[in-house]
Amino acid sequence: MTLFARFLLAGLLVSVATHAQTAPAAPASPLTPPNAAVAAKAAQFTGAPASRAHYRAVYQLDSDDPKLISKTLHNMLNALNDPRLKGKLELELVVFSGGTVAFKKDQPYEADVLALQQAGVILAQCQNSMNAYKLTKADMLPYISVVPTGNGELIIRQAEGWALVHP
């Protein structure tokens, strides 16, 4: 290929690339109607049946974001109130890192945490996080458990077959 041909080819490629970047987007194609058979089946679906005798889930809370803390606590309460899981559900909440605030005394989450405790939920606080935040058991809600590490607790529970939920 001659030097002139290379020059022309390079110019053409730059022109195409520039045009592609500045060309208006093609209008979106209209959606097609849904599959009637699938839609009818979806309308009848009310959720997976809880056919097992027992379910176990461990929730992970490692953020101090108030919205995430509240969402996690409410998600757990919702799971406990799911009619399919009534009497079949064992839950644990593992709190570490920033989530430690949820188990401290005099926090706005205390009523929800107490409701979980009264429902039989295991409330597990990471000792490493307490050490990092210079907290003692006296700083925390009196009905929580302390585990050596939050990550270790999650690893063990998953190995035991518990479902991990991290909202």
Side-chain angles (χ1 to χ4, degrees), residues 12-135:
L12 178 63
L13 290 175
V14 168
S15 174
V16 168
T18 303
H19 179 71
Q21 291 175 359
T22 59
S29 61
L31 293 176
T32 59
N35 178 317
V38 174
K41 187 175 177 183
Q44 299 300 314
F45 184 70
T46 59
S51 57
R52 292 178 157 192
H54 191 72
Y55 294 88
R56 299 179 305 177
V58 59
Y59 283 70
Q60 175 180 335
L61 180 56
D62 59 354
S63 171
D64 62 357
D65 179 349
K67 288 181 183 177
L68 184 61
I69 293 172
S70 291
K71 181 170 86 169
T72 301
L73 300 176
H74 288 121
N75 283 349
M76 294 182 78
L77 291 168
N78 287 342
L80 288 166
N81 290 317
D82 186 317
R84 298 169 297 172
L85 297 171
K86 282 285 190 190
K88 299 180 175 188
L89 186 58
E90 184 177 358
L91 295 181
E92 179 174 352
L93 174 57
V94 177
V95 170
F96 59 99
S97 192
T100 298
V101 70
F103 284 171
K104 285 179 62 181
K105 289 180 180 174
D106 302 320
Q107 292 297 319
Y109 318 107
E110 195 167 346
D112 288 334
V113 173
L114 180 59
L116 291 173
Q117 187 271 345
Q118 291 171 340
V121 173
I122 301 165
L123 304 169
Q125 169 61 51
C126 171
Q127 180 67 58
N128 280 352
S129 295
M130 287 177 59
N131 295 345
Y133 291 109
K134 298 181 179 13
L135 298 169

